[in-house]
Amino acid sequence: EEAANESIFEANVAFIKGNDEILIADVREGQLAAALVYSIPETNTLWFNPVALDGLTVIGHPDNPLNELSLESIAGIFQGQITNWAEVGGNDSPISVYVRESGSGVRETFHDKVPRNGSILGTAIVVPGQELMLGQIQLEESAIGLSMMTSSEGVKSFDISGIPAHPDETSTQHYPLSTPLYFVSQSDPKGELRTFLSWLQSAEGQSYIGDKFGRLR
C-alpha cells in the first residue's frame, strides 16, 4: 500500500499503490515485478522479505479531545460493544466507525493484531482507499477509522495505552500494532530489483527510510 519511486539506480524501480490482495495477485500473474505489502496470505507461494516496520494506527478527527485508547477499547469500538465516545472518556457522541475494504493491508493487519471477541461491526462504513478514509475522518468529528502510521496526514492518530505510533516505537516493536512492510516478488529477485532490495535493507537504505518507517536494523 505504499508507493516508492527511486532513481538512484540505472533502472527506475516503481511501486504502485493499491489493495494488498490485488497487488499480490498482480505479482503472481507477472503484471508487476514486485510490490510492497503489509499482509501475506496463508497460502502464499511468492518470495517475500521485510524491508521496514510500520504501524497500524487508529485515527480520529483532529478536534477529538481524546489522545489515547487501549487495545481493548479499540476492539470494543470496531466490534460494536462500545458505541459512544463517552464510554472511553470522550464527548457524549455516537461513534461513527469506518473501515477499509477487504483485502487491504490495513484491514488484514487489524484482523491480525487487534484481539477479537467478534467480527468488525456490521454497520461500519467501508471506505475503498486511503485518501477517501482520511477525507472522511477529517469531515466528521465523531468518526474513527484505520490507517497506517506512514499515511495518516491531517488526522489524529491515537496513542495506544500511552505509546505513540512513531518510527522509534515501531522499530523496537514497542508500539502494540507494529507490523512489517514486505517486499514481494515471484521469486528471489535478480539484477536491478535485487540491487534495490539490498539497498533498502542496508544501513544506508534503512537510514533513508527511517524518518517515516521503523528500521529493521
Side-chain angles (χ1 to χ4, degrees):
E1 294 210 352
E2 294 300 318
N5 194 342
E6 295 296 331
S7 57
I8 62 174
F9 306 106
E10 292 179 5
N12 188 59
V13 181
F15 291 93
I16 303 168
K17 286 185 178 181
N19 178 288
D20 276 19
E21 189 174 87
I22 295 172
L23 289 174
I24 286 174
D26 285 347
V27 172
R28 184 179 293 116
E29 295 165 9
Q31 301 299 313
L32 292 174
L36 295 177
V37 299
Y38 292 104
S39 58
I40 303 294
E42 291 183 6
T43 57
N44 175 67
T45 58
L46 298 174
W47 187 95
F48 65 94
N49 217 296
V51 295
L53 287 161
D54 205 340
L56 176 69
T57 54
V58 179
I59 57 175
H61 191 277
D63 293 337
N64 191 312
L66 281 180
N67 291 316
E68 69 176 274
L69 292 166
S70 67
L71 273 179
E72 292 75 16
S73 294
I74 292 166
I77 290 170
F78 281 89
Q79 292 161 30
Q81 290 96 30
I82 297 172
T83 59
N84 193 296
W85 282 107
E87 296 177 67
V88 289
N91 293 330
D92 183 8
S93 174
I95 302 173
S96 298
V97 180
Y98 291 86
V99 297
R100 286 289 305 277
E101 76 281 7
S102 295
S104 70
V106 170
R107 185 158 175 160
E108 295 306 314
T109 301
F110 179 87
H111 284 312
D112 290 342
K113 297 287 185 179
V114 176
R116 288 185 289 163
N117 295 315
S119 59
I120 283 181
L121 180 66
T123 56
I125 300 169
V126 178
V127 182
Q130 182 61 23
E131 288 77 13
L132 290 174
M133 171 67 79
L134 295 179
Q136 187 59 50
I137 299 298
Q138 290 167 350
L139 286 174
E140 190 173 351
E141 200 163 331
S142 63
I144 193 169
L146 299 170
S147 181
M148 284 295 178
M149 174 183 73
T150 50
S151 304
S152 300
E153 298 85 0
V155 295
K156 171 175 283 188
S157 292
F158 296 104
D159 294 352
I160 299 180
S161 300
I163 304 172
H166 185 277
D168 290 345
E169 302 292 354
T170 61
S171 183
T172 60
Q173 299 191 57
H174 190 212
Y175 179 68
L177 300 181
S178 300
T179 187
L181 177 64
Y182 296 102
F183 181 103
V184 178
S185 58
Q186 279 192 335
S187 58
D188 195 346
K190 308 295 183 186
E192 199 68 25
L193 205 56
R194 165 58 71 178
T195 301
F196 180 64
L197 173 60
S198 296
W199 177 80
L200 277 177
Q201 295 179 320
S202 71
E204 181 184 2
Q206 290 289 296
S207 178
Y208 180 82
I209 66 176
D211 288 339
K212 192 172 184 182
F213 293 95
R215 298 167 59 164
L216 293 175
R217 54 178 61 84

